[in-house]
Amino acid sequence: MVFWSMLAEPHGVKRGDKLSDREPTATSPLLRRLNAGAVLDALRATGPATGTELMEITGLSRPTVHTVCDHLISRGWVHEIEQRPPQRGSGPGRRARQYEFNAAAGYVLGIDLGQNKVTSVVADLRGDSLAEHTRTFRAGGIGARARLNQMHRAVETTLGDAGLDKSAVLAIALAVPGPVDEGGHVVAEEDYLPGLARIDLRKAAGEGFDAPVLVENDANLAVLAERWRGCAQGADNVVELLAGERLGSGLYFGGRLIQGSRGAAGELKFLSMVDGVGNTDGIALLARTLGAEAVVASAASPSLADAVGGDPRRMTAKLVFAAARDGDPSALAVVDEVTARIGRVIALLHTLLNPELVVIGGAVAQAGDVLLEPLRRAVGELVPDPPEIKNSALGDHVVVTGAVCRALDHAALELFQDIHGARGGS
């Protein structure tokens, strides 16, 4: 049992286990958290349910189910709806109490503050999006204050489109493209995210809100998104490779997110020392650069050169992948060079970490039909037992989806901590 993803199970407990099947070693507060999470999971997944039905799903006793539901009702996360009449032939008796998860008890905000754009999503307590807004930064190297101003405008537009006030938001999660320290500051190079490392991002993102703000690395949130609503559901040993402009990885192993002592687990700066790789340039950047170089050298096929009118500055990864899809020789050569390089990265991560699955995330995942087969071949030539490689179905929404997931987890965790203080229901 777990509600969403980050409320991690105690060691040895698996999603779907009944509470009665677990070893009775948990503390009373932990049991109350598990009980509440089991009931919320059941109601969120099945819709309205009676106490008896919740007992069957969770393995909890009748008094515990009703006590947990009463606590959740008092906090607005569950409704008691019109009671069902007794089944025919069941004899006289009180109508069964029936409960329903209340997705509108509050809302969460997920923000992806990237290098080139910011995306804001407001979602209900099921994680379903009510509204979203994206703003693209006009110039590379945009300063921190201008970047944050754009973020605030995106948030205001999103909340306005959803018809919500800031007071309705229970938790906020902000994704940034770099490691995050314990104080919520991004550890970023000045030429990459100018001035952002000096900003208290929790304070900046929470301006005007009475809600906790979590600041997280974008790749970490991406791997959570894959396990929540993506192609890694049920997988416990996963690498999410964000591969757009720069390479970054989110690591989920042994059923837990791996962050490291200073939040830098999954950083790939060591690739500068890897022969055949040399830096953290991502798939989109490599495709765009190599395609432009081919045009400059007059080595591009006519169709690829024509796609940019002979101007290499107009080259994009999307144009390269579209040309490769149509069989353009120059574009296919670019894809081969890119996948050979990224294949070495995946082979190295596989050798070090032994994941069962590697997911290619970000907007480049939309080119999976062009990239996946040559990428799988490249990895297979380097390691004898390669991991499964998939492209993310969440596309360029993978990070903001992970931010929504993380905010939901925190909102639920605060709810469960509140329940810990209540008597009974253990």
Side-chain angles (χ1 to χ4, degrees):
M1 180 286 302
V2 66
F3 196 67
W4 297 296
S5 71
M6 281 287 287
L7 298 174
E9 302 94 331
H11 182 69
V13 177
K14 298 296 184 183
R15 180 185 292 269
D17 287 352
K18 290 186 175 182
L19 272 291
S20 57
D21 297 333
R22 299 175 181 150
E23 295 182 6
T25 57
T27 64
S28 192
L30 177 56
L31 280 176
R32 285 196 291 270
R33 185 191 106 180
L34 293 173
N35 294 346
V39 171
L40 280 170
D41 257 350
L43 289 172
R44 185 171 60 93
T46 65
T50 64
T52 298
E53 290 166 342
L54 291 172
M55 288 168 56
E56 293 173 354
I57 295 169
T58 64
L60 296 170
S61 68
R62 184 178 300 277
T64 297
V65 164
H66 289 302
T67 299
V68 167
C69 285
D70 285 340
H71 287 316
L72 295 174
I73 289 169
S74 71
R75 287 151 180 83
W77 285 56
V78 168
H79 289 310
E80 184 171 357
I81 59 179
E82 184 177 350
Q83 296 175 333
R84 295 181 189 173
Q87 293 182 347
R88 182 172 297 178
S90 63
R94 292 185 301 173
R95 293 180 174 230
R97 296 180 69 184
Q98 188 176 13
Y99 305 104
E100 182 178 42
F101 178 65
N102 178 20
Y107 302 90
V108 298
L109 187 63
I111 307 169
D112 176 11
L113 185 63
Q115 182 184 12
N116 300 314
K117 63 181 181 179
V118 57
T119 298
S120 169
V121 171
V122 63
D124 64 19
L125 294 181
R126 288 189 191 277
D128 295 335
S129 173
L130 277 69
E132 69 172 81
H133 184 72
T134 297
R135 298 181 72 90
T136 301
F137 306 135
R138 292 183 178 179
I142 183 174
R145 292 298 176 187
R147 188 183 299 271
L148 293 174
N149 286 339
Q150 292 282 59
M151 179 190 73
H152 288 306
R153 290 172 185 168
V155 167
E156 289 170 2
T157 300
T158 305
L159 290 175
D161 289 346
L164 296 176
D165 187 77
K166 288 183 177 181
S167 61
V169 176
L170 299 182
I172 302 166
L174 172 65
V176 291
V180 177
D181 65 21
E182 292 182 356
H185 288 76
V186 61
V187 181
E189 299 172 1
E190 186 65 17
D191 62 344
Y192 180 47
L193 298 172
L196 206 64
R198 297 190 295 272
I199 302 293
D200 184 338
L201 293 177
R202 291 175 182 168
K203 182 177 180 181
E207 185 178 319
F209 289 92
D210 185 21
V213 178
L214 303 102
V215 183
E216 302 279 0
N217 171 261
D218 57 356
N220 288 344
L221 293 179
V223 76
L224 293 181
E226 295 295 350
R227 293 194 74 259
W228 180 40
R229 288 187 168 175
C231 63
Q233 295 179 58
D236 281 340
N237 297 284
V238 184
V239 171
E240 174 90 10
L241 189 63
L242 287 184
E245 293 297 308
R246 289 195 178 192
L247 296 177
S249 65
L251 312 178
Y252 196 97
F253 282 83
R256 295 183 183 277
L257 182 67
I258 306 300
Q259 295 175 292
S261 62
R262 296 183 179 178
E267 287 296 297
L268 301 176
K269 290 183 180 180
F270 67 87
L271 292 177
S272 62
M273 298 180 283
V274 177
D275 185 41
V277 181
N279 55 41
T280 58
D281 289 353
I283 290 174
L285 176 56
L286 288 170
R288 184 174 68 248
T289 301
L290 293 171
E293 289 175 356
V295 172
V296 170
S298 300
S301 303
S303 61
L304 185 59
D306 290 346
V308 295
D311 184 356
R313 294 171 298 178
R314 295 174 55 190
M315 185 63 68
T316 66
K318 188 175 181 179
L319 287 173
V320 171
F321 298 141
R325 199 172 284 115
D326 292 336
D328 179 88
S330 296
L332 289 171
V334 169
V335 168
D336 285 342
E337 186 170 348
V338 170
T339 53
R341 185 168 175 171
I342 302 303
R344 295 181 75 83
V345 175
I346 294 176
L348 178 59
L349 291 172
H350 175 66
T351 302
L352 290 172
L353 301 171
N354 193 31
E356 62 190 281
L357 173 64
V358 175
V359 182
I360 306 300
V364 295
Q366 297 171 359
D369 59 323
V370 174
L371 293 170
L372 278 186
E373 286 309 314
L375 190 55
R376 287 166 176 160
R377 287 196 301 269
V379 176
E381 291 171 359
L382 295 170
V383 293
D385 184 23
E388 185 176 9
I389 304 172
K390 294 182 179 180
N391 60 286
S392 173
L394 299 173
D396 61 357
H397 273 59
V398 64
V399 172
V400 76
T401 299
V404 167
C405 178
R406 183 68 181 92
L408 286 169
D409 291 332
H410 193 79
L413 182 59
E414 289 206 331
L415 171 72
F416 296 156
Q417 289 173 337
D418 188 24
I419 289 173
H420 290 177
R423 291 181 174 272
S426 62

